[in-house]
Amino acid sequence: MTTPPLWKASVALTKLDAADTAAALELEGSAQAVLIVEEPFADGAVVEALYTDAPDAAWLGRITGREITVAPLPDQDWIRLSQQGLPPVRAGRFFVYGAHDAGTVPHGVIPMKIEAGLAFGTGHHETTALCLAVLSDLARERAFRNVLDLGTGTGLLAIGAVKLWRRPVLASDIDPVAVEVTRDNARANGVGHLVRAVTADGLTSPVLSRGAPYDLLIANILAGPLTQLAPAIQKAMAPGAVLLLSGLLTNQEGLVTSFYRSLRFVGRRRMGPWSALVLQKPPR
């Protein structure tokens, strides 16, 4: 199976400048994903953004102040190919692995077998690992009965929430392919009956409206959508509910939290240039 055609915009720069450039591409809003690839023993980095349609290189250059290169990606299942040979991930209490790691699961962990397929999210990106660590922390403090994973991707965080609290979790994504991948991964982890995956744009779906209010809402998406969805997200939270936000860079924390002023700041986790924020709605 092959992916729909994808386009990659990229620019090489210093590690210091990479975060600002990535933030500009995220805030522009049309990228499917933005990532920073750093050279481990040098001061170089490459910022890459993926698009379903060919982006305007000149426009991206104007908003970033950089010379952006745009090129098509090969018409193949490049996401699955990119996962081959990746090591398992330890994040909080979780051990995330692919089919090729099936014999390496250690004792004393919560195992999750995740295949990316045509969706994003295997635990290897910092924001996903951050969210898994936060969920592990939250499980030490309280139980949650009504959880929404908004923008679920492969369903990794929804499956993690089910394994921690053994309660049904609602998972949504704008991409129907991601919803199918989530269902497959949930079944592969023995929790297909507890993960309800639906296609939805934001929180406008009647399924998401009927499921509210949520006592835990997870949104590991980009900074732009996090700001745009802020009113709907806060409305969907029950009194005392916890909100986990990620997919944002550390220098975007202030911007994002400014849209959630009705919530109490609980804490943050950081990994490299990425952040995960924990907020809470005041009780009645």
Side-chain angles (χ1 to χ4, degrees):
M1 186 175 183
T2 59
T3 62
L6 286 174
W7 293 78
K8 180 173 74 173
S10 59
V11 55
L13 29 63
T14 67
K15 291 180 180 177
L16 183 63
D17 295 329
D20 287 339
T21 300
L25 291 173
E26 285 190 349
L27 290 174
E28 187 271 337
S30 62
Q32 297 298 301
V34 180
L35 63 153
I36 300 172
V37 182
E38 295 187 347
E39 297 182 27
F41 303 110
D43 188 32
V46 176
V47 175
E48 298 179 345
L50 301 180
Y51 300 84
T52 54
D53 298 305
D56 184 338
W59 164 244
L60 297 180
R62 285 195 293 273
I63 65 173
T64 60
R66 306 279 175 179
E67 185 174 348
I68 304 291
T69 299
V70 172
L73 287 173
D75 186 17
Q76 60 185 3
D77 188 353
W78 69 271
I79 296 177
R80 186 179 297 281
L81 290 173
S82 72
Q83 307 308 321
Q84 293 179 357
L86 284 177
V89 173
R90 284 290 299 265
R93 295 166 58 187
F94 296 99
F95 182 85
V96 186
Y97 66 99
H100 55 285
D101 299 307
T104 65
V105 179
H107 296 290
V109 299
I110 299 176
M112 287 194 289
K113 178 183 176 182
I114 300 294
E115 298 298 333
L118 302 180
F120 291 91
T122 61
H124 290 86
H125 193 277
E126 292 93 331
T127 59
T128 313
L130 284 169
C131 287
L132 289 173
V134 170
L135 292 177
S136 296
D137 292 342
L138 291 173
R140 298 187 184 97
E141 301 172 3
R142 61 182 283 191
F144 295 94
R145 300 179 59 85
N146 192 21
V147 180
L148 171 63
D149 179 16
L150 184 67
T152 193
T154 61
L156 176 63
L157 300 180
I159 294 167
V162 166
K163 285 179 173 283
L164 285 171
W165 293 293
R166 306 308 301 182
R167 298 285 303 179
V169 171
L170 183 59
S172 72
D173 202 285
I174 193 172
D175 182 0
V177 174
V179 171
E180 287 303 316
V181 172
T182 293
R183 291 171 180 161
D184 290 343
N185 282 326
R187 286 191 289 267
N189 283 273
V191 295
H193 62 297
L194 290 175
V195 175
R196 184 183 183 189
V198 298
T199 304
D201 184 359
L203 286 100
T204 60
S205 164
V207 175
L208 271 59
S209 299
R210 289 194 296 269
Y214 303 98
D215 60 358
L216 174 61
L217 201 154
I218 306 163
N220 181 22
I221 48 182
L222 299 175
L226 288 178
T227 61
Q228 296 162 12
L229 293 171
I233 287 175
Q234 291 168 92
K235 183 179 179 181
M237 296 172 63
V242 171
L243 175 63
L244 170 55
L245 301 178
S246 196
L248 63 144
L249 297 160
T250 56
N251 62 0
Q252 295 173 322
E253 289 179 5
L255 168 68
V256 171
T257 54
S258 70
F259 285 80
Y260 293 87
R261 291 177 180 168
S262 69
L263 306 184
R264 180 175 68 89
F265 179 81
V266 176
R268 67 168 65 86
R269 272 183 175 264
R270 290 172 171 169
M271 185 182 298
W274 300 97
S275 294
L277 306 176
V278 181
L279 308 172
Q280 186 172 27
K281 192 170 188 175
R284 292 188 188 279

